[in-house]
Amino acid sequence: MSESLIRTRPTVAVFGATGHTGRFVVAELLRRGFRAIAIARSAEALAAARFPEPDVLCRCATVEDEGSLLRALNGAQAVINCAGPFLDTADALAAAAVKSGMHYVDISAEQASVSRTLETFDEPARQAGLVLIPGMGFYGGFADLLVTAALGDWTSADAIDVMIGLDSWHPTRGTRVTGERNKAPRMVVAEGRLRPLALPSAQKHWDFGEALGRQLVSEMPFSEIVLISRHVKTSELHTHLSAVALSEVRDKGTPAPQAADATGRSTQRFVVEVVARREGASRRAVARGQDIYAFSAPLVCEVVKRILRQEFNRAGANAPGMVLNAEAVLAALQPDHLALEIAAA
């Protein structure tokens, strides 16, 4: 492809591009026909990543140096932040994005970071006509889209459960670093209000169907609680995660994920089931897929594509279900990345 044609393609910056998920995101952007700007702290890491030029521009920047961020973002229409802990990166990068006049999306599972982004940047982004969506990864925005799609024409629910089933969880280095950094109390919605998770975490068994079977799950809320509660009225909102996954991610001896196919995906399987109940009726959505880290790439890239096409109904800092057509986003991920069922039960 000629240099002139490459320059006319939409450009998306990826901060933390050399990390495990960041590499999936860069590859997915290229697969979709975008030009990418790969941003990392280290020139050595960028060189080792061997991103294809000129489709990918490689630039160095740090969150401590606003000037470096602004220079690195130059020429992009949106930025995807893949560099956790997001408590340390989101503020600086979201501020640089707004100052540069571009949309911002991150994949944070951290409740405190997502809350801060929503509160701090909603008004500046609305005034600039920009969209900021924090938490748009497997943990967070994915469940928000599933809940929004499952609710349909319901504007509220008595209770919503998010059940996350994994057959394993081999954490990346970024996941481990984020876990050590993120010591904020985890929040749930109980009796209609955001409240700290009661400890010890509640446990129960859940049948995830043929894919994963019956599993012991523990209550473990991520950033989806903050996002869903932003626009869905409910008295109870809780997330449970497979106990086997929690055990593995907490074990320092569990190895990092290993590629099992040509795309780099691991063999990890997931099932996410959301159940909303109101006045004796229930609605649910069930999604099945492979590799939570790899899956975050097509998910976040699909959202960015729709933002750049102006397929949103409100500027500002938002949960994805507030501003995007949730069913359309999820449908676009089928069948290559997702198997999905939405039904009234």
Side-chain angles (χ1 to χ4, degrees):
M1 183 178 293
S2 70
E3 180 71 21
S4 61
L5 286 177
I6 290 173
R7 288 177 178 173
T8 63
R9 290 153 54 190
T11 301
V12 177
V14 181
F15 188 77
T18 60
H20 185 81
T21 305
R23 292 183 187 224
F24 280 119
V25 171
V26 171
E28 181 66 17
L29 288 169
L30 297 183
R31 189 186 71 81
R32 289 167 173 262
F34 289 96
R35 193 186 197 195
I37 300 174
I39 306 173
R41 299 178 64 93
S42 163
E44 291 75 18
L46 286 167
R50 296 184 178 180
F51 293 122
E53 297 180 310
D55 299 278
V56 180
L57 300 176
C58 292
R59 296 173 180 172
C60 292
T62 67
V63 293
E64 296 82 12
D65 182 351
E66 183 188 51
S68 73
L69 285 178
L70 295 175
R71 291 190 295 272
L73 294 174
N74 184 46
Q77 289 80 56
V79 58
I80 301 172
N81 183 5
C82 297
F86 294 90
L87 285 166
D88 297 332
T89 65
D91 278 1
L93 199 58
V98 172
K99 184 173 286 190
S100 299
M102 69 180 61
H103 307 290
Y104 169 91
V105 182
D106 70 38
I107 56 171
S108 174
E110 304 159 44
Q111 291 185 338
S113 171
V114 168
S115 293
R116 196 160 68 190
T117 299
L118 292 171
E119 297 303 324
T120 303
F121 294 100
D122 184 43
E123 182 61 25
R126 281 197 293 118
Q127 290 183 357
L130 300 172
V131 173
L132 276 68
I133 300 181
M136 195 56 251
F138 175 83
Y139 294 114
F142 184 36
D144 179 78
L145 291 174
L146 288 169
V147 167
T148 304
L151 287 174
D153 60 356
W154 285 3
T155 58
S156 64
D158 296 329
I160 300 172
D161 288 306
V162 179
M163 315 302 294
I164 302 174
L166 304 178
D167 64 356
S168 64
W169 188 359
H170 289 199
T172 64
R173 179 182 177 277
T175 295
R176 292 199 181 282
V177 172
T178 297
E180 294 170 0
R181 172 74 172 85
N182 183 21
K183 301 301 183 183
R186 293 180 182 269
M187 308 298 286
V188 300
V189 175
E191 299 178 347
R193 295 176 56 191
L194 279 169
R195 301 175 183 270
L197 171 68
L199 298 175
S201 298
Q203 290 189 317
K204 60 183 177 181
H205 284 88
W206 191 263
D207 189 351
F208 288 99
E210 183 178 349
L212 297 181
R214 185 174 175 83
Q215 291 197 10
L216 178 67
V217 296
S218 299
E219 186 161 15
M220 180 56 59
F222 298 95
S223 57
E224 74 287 332
I225 299 293
V226 175
L227 294 169
I228 296 166
S229 65
R230 184 87 171 178
H231 65 111
V232 176
K233 184 178 180 181
T234 184
S235 297
E236 302 289 331
L237 174 58
H238 302 272
T239 297
H240 285 74
L241 175 65
S242 297
V244 64
L246 280 172
S247 176
E248 289 192 346
V249 81
R250 289 168 174 169
D251 182 353
K252 293 183 179 180
T254 303
Q258 298 295 315
D261 63 26
T263 70
R265 293 187 304 176
S266 72
T267 59
Q268 180 196 50
R269 294 179 300 164
F270 67 78
V271 178
V272 181
E273 183 169 358
V274 302
V275 182
R277 300 178 178 87
R278 189 177 77 169
E279 298 176 355
S282 66
R283 293 180 175 180
R284 69 179 59 217
V286 184
R288 302 176 183 86
Q290 179 180 342
D291 191 332
I292 61 175
Y293 297 110
F295 173 72
S296 290
L299 174 65
V300 73
C301 290
E302 181 65 26
V303 166
V304 168
K305 179 191 79 173
R306 290 172 183 272
I307 292 172
L308 292 179
R309 290 182 177 180
Q310 303 291 308
E311 296 178 18
F312 56 87
N313 55 36
R314 178 187 184 273
N318 306 288
M322 292 175 65
V323 295
L324 299 172
N325 183 321
E327 285 195 63
V329 173
L330 294 169
L333 300 174
Q334 301 177 82
D336 293 341
H337 308 291
L338 196 65
L340 178 67
E341 302 167 16
I342 302 174

